Amino acid sequence: MKPPVQFESPEAVMRFAIALARGSAGSVEPNPMVGAVLVDRTLHHLASGFHERFGGPHAEVNALRNFESRYPDAVGRAALLEAATLYVTLEPCCHYGKTPPCSLAVINAGVKRVVVGLRDPSPHCDGGGLRQLQEAGVEVISGMLEAEVRLMNAPFLKRVQHRKPWVHAKWAMTLDGRIATRTGQSQWISNESSRAIVHQLRGRMDAIVVGAGTARIDDPLLTARPPGPRTALRIVIDSTASLSLNSQLVRTIGIAPLMVVCSEKANAAQCEQHRQAGAEVLVLPGETGSQRPDLRALLDELGRRSFTNILIEGGAGLLGSCFDQNLVDEVHVFVAPKLCGGAAALSPVGGLGQDFIPRFAQVDPLHIDPLDGDVYIHGPFRSDQP
């Protein structure tokens, strides 16, 4: 992404840092997406960088390296830094992990002023980086465009603060809100452009989850094609461990891992068959009043594994249970200009549902993108009303 020669405002600098950070989606988790931009007193671009991959240099270090390459003369760099400001979307880290502390890199480089979007709530940071900068004499301003940075890194923040992954829900439906005909036929509702977005989504997920019915009827692969930066764990919520050993999910375990989540009442022999085939079998207690394994317990387990983003792909019963329990954080809905009709045709979200129509928008901020005739509606889902 090419920066402007001169930014029109400090907020424009931070927004460019946010845009840079978004380019790492799927490549840095469980770390946050972070961007950094160095500008002079008149907001001319000097250098920029972002955290590109997990285990690699952080945004601040990449921006400073970019600065060195653009301005090879050390004396000239020092003069520029006297009046320069480093904008970074998230508080610089102050601990030794896979990389040295960014706070020390900023101090040692000679940066005199730092503007931060959001304080990092991680236990190993949590204001420590800001304090370290201030104690070294660096002027620190915190909170610029905090809401925008918080929204961008909502999955990271949920994992750190609640130890659970961010839950995405996805479905494709007709104009009359159907995901399959009365006979169960569903391919293809959405067009190729919509399906390409779905594969991009899959490519940045830690896990993709479907119900046993969807696995049986659709026999999906649940892989990203072409592959994305991540290879998701494919999860089937299968109370009785009845997933066919001849399914594509089982036959492609060598390509992507598979987990079968079943209840305590599942047949032990069938569970062992899945283990022998290479799948992980996770036995969970059932939900109250249901045979389905406890989805909250599943999210707890995925949180313990530091999963950041998971995608629920259906079916209607699983999606309904997730919405009934307020487990969904973001929705991705693909609407095709087709009509299905029929009282027996399937709708996307089953479960108990709402008693009343919500008074306020539940997807906010709302994004609507045309996709060659289809419409892609997506955004964070807010079950709690103002």
Side-chain angles (χ1 to χ4, degrees):
M1 182 181 298
K2 187 176 180 179
V5 174
Q6 183 180 21
F7 294 93
E8 61 183 18
S9 66
E11 290 77 14
V13 182
M14 186 61 78
R15 286 201 173 92
F16 183 72
I18 292 171
L20 284 176
R22 289 187 184 278
S24 67
S27 298
V28 297
E29 291 84 354
N31 284 352
M33 296 180 283
V34 184
V37 181
L38 189 67
V39 295
D40 66 12
R41 184 182 285 112
T42 56
L43 301 183
H44 282 84
H45 175 267
L46 297 176
S48 52
F50 65 101
H51 183 30
E52 298 177 15
R53 59 179 179 81
F54 178 73
H58 289 184
E60 301 91 327
V61 172
N62 280 332
L64 292 171
R65 288 179 178 176
N66 180 237
F67 180 57
E68 289 183 5
S69 67
R70 288 167 60 90
Y71 301 92
D73 177 61
V75 175
R77 284 200 309 272
L80 285 171
L81 287 174
E82 284 294 326
T85 300
L86 179 68
Y87 288 74
V88 58
T89 56
L90 192 70
E91 173 185 359
C93 66
C94 57
H95 69 289
Y96 285 88
K98 291 186 176 296
T99 61
C102 291
S103 54
L104 291 183
V106 172
I107 293 167
N108 293 335
V111 176
K112 305 299 183 186
R113 187 170 182 266
V114 174
V115 177
V116 173
L118 177 67
R119 176 171 168 165
D120 185 350
S122 302
H124 52 252
C125 194
D126 198 18
L130 301 181
R131 287 192 298 273
Q132 200 170 66
L133 291 172
Q134 291 168 330
E135 289 168 359
V138 177
E139 180 187 356
V140 176
I141 298 173
S142 184
M144 178 173 284
L145 300 185
E146 179 176 334
E148 293 182 31
V149 178
R150 186 177 294 278
L151 181 62
M152 174 181 68
N153 271 318
F156 163 76
L157 295 172
K158 184 184 180 186
R159 185 188 64 76
V160 168
Q161 296 173 318
H162 302 286
R163 299 180 182 178
K164 287 183 174 63
W166 186 261
V167 179
H168 303 253
K170 163 262 167 183
W171 65 87
M173 67 183 188
T174 59
L175 279 178
D176 54 340
R178 304 299 182 181
I179 61 171
T181 67
R182 58 184 173 80
T183 64
Q185 195 268 338
S186 62
Q187 294 182 344
W188 294 99
I189 290 175
S190 58
N191 62 26
E192 290 185 3
S193 297
S194 292
R195 296 198 294 275
I197 297 294
V198 172
H199 284 290
Q200 291 174 19
L201 275 172
R202 288 177 176 177
R204 62 182 181 87
M205 294 290 143
D206 291 306
I208 300 169
V209 188
V210 296
T214 297
R216 181 181 65 255
I217 295 169
D218 293 349
D219 192 23
L221 275 171
L222 302 182
T223 55
R225 302 182 295 277
R230 309 186 83 75
T231 299
L233 171 65
R234 301 171 299 170
I235 300 177
V236 180
I237 309 299
D238 186 1
S239 302
T240 60
S242 60
L243 179 67
S244 170
L245 297 178
N246 291 319
S247 66
Q248 290 197 98
L249 289 169
V250 174
R251 289 189 285 108
T252 57
I253 285 175
I255 298 174
L258 173 66
M259 173 190 285
V260 177
V261 180
C262 58
S263 71
E264 296 165 324
K265 296 183 179 180
N267 183 282
Q270 289 176 311
C271 290
E272 184 59 27
Q273 286 180 338
H274 285 104
R275 291 191 184 97
Q276 291 296 323
E280 177 182 359
V281 177
L282 179 64
V283 180
L284 294 176
E287 293 177 355
T288 302
S290 172
Q291 292 286 338
R292 179 179 286 116
D294 189 339
L295 297 176
R296 292 185 182 276
L298 174 61
L299 294 183
D300 287 339
E301 173 59 27
L302 299 181
R304 282 190 287 271
R305 301 184 186 202
S306 293
F307 281 23
T308 304
N309 290 282
I310 70 168
L311 179 63
I312 311 291
E313 289 213 16
L318 176 59
L319 284 167
S321 183
C322 288
F323 280 104
D324 283 348
Q325 298 181 63
N326 294 329
L327 302 182
V328 176
D329 298 301
E330 187 169 341
V331 297
H332 304 266
V333 182
F334 299 86
V335 183
K338 302 173 183 178
L339 290 170
C340 182
L346 295 175
S347 60
V349 181
L352 183 62
Q354 299 286 329
D355 293 329
F356 303 96
I357 298 296
R359 291 179 57 200
F360 301 96
Q362 291 177 282
V363 181
D364 181 28
L366 176 68
H367 301 276
I368 303 176
D369 303 323
L371 293 172
D372 295 327
D374 287 0
V375 177
Y376 175 31
I377 302 170
H378 58 107
F381 181 78
R382 306 178 188 277
S383 57
D384 53 325
Q385 299 300 301

